[in-house]
Amino acid sequence: MAEGREGNQHRTMNTIFLIINCLLLSIGTSGGPLITRLYFIRGGHRLWLSSLLQTAGFPVMFFPLAVSYIRRRKHHRISTVEGSKLKIISMKLPMFVASAFIGILTGVDDYLYAYGVERLPVSTSSLIIASQLGFTALFAFLLVRQKFTAYSVNAVVLLTVGAGVLALHASGDRPPGESTKEYVMGFVMTLMAAVLYGFVLPLIELIYKKTTQPLTYSLVMEFQFVMCFFATLFCVVGMIVNNDFKVIPREARNFKHGEVNYYAVLVGNAILWQAFFLGAIGVIFCASSLLSGIVVALLLPVTEVLAVIFYQEKFQAEKGVSLFLSLWGFVSYFYGEIRQANKLKNKYRNTETELPQCSSSMIDPKQ
């Protein structure tokens, strides 16, 4: 019975963590693209700076890491003998190297995404990013042997096709003053960002599965910290080469909403994207990389509506078809998950009823 209670507590905590990380991922997925686009349409032009802001908020991780360490130290004092020390950093060298590598890939992905957001409306870039789910599913199958049901396959196909529909209307919503070549380049770079991040998510899950040290949420936050640090470092090098640091003060003075709001946009950018990354790897920790990709795609309608409301972006028929296919994909996936959960629950109940009941007549008095 004690094992059953511990199992229930573990599942409850896992569910709580999953909900928290889904909320973080939702905030970052909806707000990140909007504030990044705001930077560009109000006078910002630095691609490397915009790329850096997607991971530069990693210092905020010091607070949850400190809270986690205090809790671990309290538990360590109760459960261990005196004299043993608890390490502040639990991450070992192999995990550090893996997170640094993921960080560099993330830095490349940040640049590709920033390039696309500069040239495409948010509603268009978000629909293209939805195709990331298809690539996540493919790489999840290859790297971590993700199991699929008919419903999840249907969802992946619908979401991928929904994003592909936009290619039929290329340049139809091209911003004023932008050439067709620039628009197409933005489209291609955004698609490349979707492919790369679709590879990164299952790769993180693979690293989680292969690690030899106990996988805790504290370790996941350390992974996030190191990953974002190296992604930011990669973008800092790009900013130095491109002389972005010298241009920032002048760009702030020329920002349409004023210098103070310029820096507020930069800070908000960094915080919102940090919520995205923490939520993404947290969902992988609690569930899978496929679910992380599903949640990212699930927020597509919210981002779409907000972009049309705040930026008065066009919403052509092709976007409507793409959005419909995406929503259909969401419903298909979650319907399949509910059916699978009910099937497992019924199977568990049937197994319990089939177990022989222990009665007093079955007990040997000699034992």
Side-chain angles (χ1 to χ4, degrees), residues 271-284:
I271 293 174
L272 285 171
W273 281 113
Q274 194 61 208
F276 168 84
F277 281 110
L278 180 59
I281 66 172
V283 171
I284 295 173

Side-chain angles (χ1 to χ4, degrees), residues 14-237:
N14 190 73
T15 302
I16 293 172
F17 277 127
L18 181 60
I19 292 172
I20 292 172
N21 282 283
C22 283
L23 289 174
L24 288 172
L25 186 55
S26 300
I27 294 169
T29 302
S30 300
L34 292 171
I35 199 167
T36 299
R37 182 61 177 168
L38 178 65
Y39 165 77
F40 287 118
I41 64 178
R42 293 296 184 264
H45 300 287
R46 317 312 298 179
L47 279 175
W48 281 110
L49 172 60
S50 181
S51 305
L52 174 137
L53 292 173
Q54 293 177 47
T55 52
F58 71 90
V60 302
M61 293 299 299
F62 279 120
F63 177 73
L65 282 170
V67 173
S68 176
Y69 174 72
I70 292 171
R71 291 189 62 184
R72 287 190 294 123
R73 187 174 64 177
K74 183 179 180 180
H75 183 267
H76 182 78
R77 287 175 177 175
I78 296 173
S79 59
T80 58
V81 296
E82 294 184 5
S84 61
K85 293 183 178 180
L86 178 67
K87 295 181 179 179
I88 298 177
I89 301 174
S90 59
M91 179 180 288
K92 296 181 180 179
L93 183 60
M95 194 75 159
F96 176 84
V97 173
S99 58
F101 175 70
I102 293 292
I104 294 172
L105 290 181
T106 302
V108 175
D109 188 75
D110 290 344
Y111 180 81
L112 294 173
Y113 180 76
Y115 190 101
V117 172
E118 182 188 23
R119 288 161 174 79
L120 301 177
V122 174
S123 53
T124 301
S125 62
S126 296
L127 283 166
I128 298 171
I129 288 296
S131 66
Q132 167 194 310
L133 179 60
F135 301 114
T136 301
L138 173 63
F139 290 120
F141 175 76
L142 296 175
L143 296 178
V144 296
R145 297 295 184 265
Q146 173 73 49
K147 294 181 180 179
F148 292 93
T149 64
Y151 296 100
S152 59
V153 171
N154 184 52
V156 169
V157 171
L158 287 170
L159 287 162
T160 305
V161 172
V165 167
L166 292 176
L168 301 175
H169 194 66
S171 77
D173 61 346
R174 187 172 71 245
E178 186 176 279
S179 67
T180 302
K181 180 181 178 181
E182 289 175 328
Y183 182 91
V184 172
M185 279 298 296
F187 194 102
V188 172
M189 296 289 264
T190 306
L191 185 60
M192 289 174 62
V195 174
L196 182 55
Y197 203 65
F199 172 70
V200 165
L201 290 177
L203 186 59
I204 293 174
E205 184 177 358
L206 179 65
I207 293 170
Y208 286 173
K209 290 179 180 293
K210 295 295 184 181
T211 183
T212 56
Q213 62 182 116
L215 187 63
T216 63
Y217 195 69
S218 178
L219 181 60
V220 168
M221 290 191 291
E222 290 179 15
F223 188 98
Q224 157 85 355
F225 185 91
V226 174
M227 181 190 78
C228 289
F229 172 80
F230 277 91
T232 303
L233 187 62
F234 177 84
C235 295
V236 165
V237 174

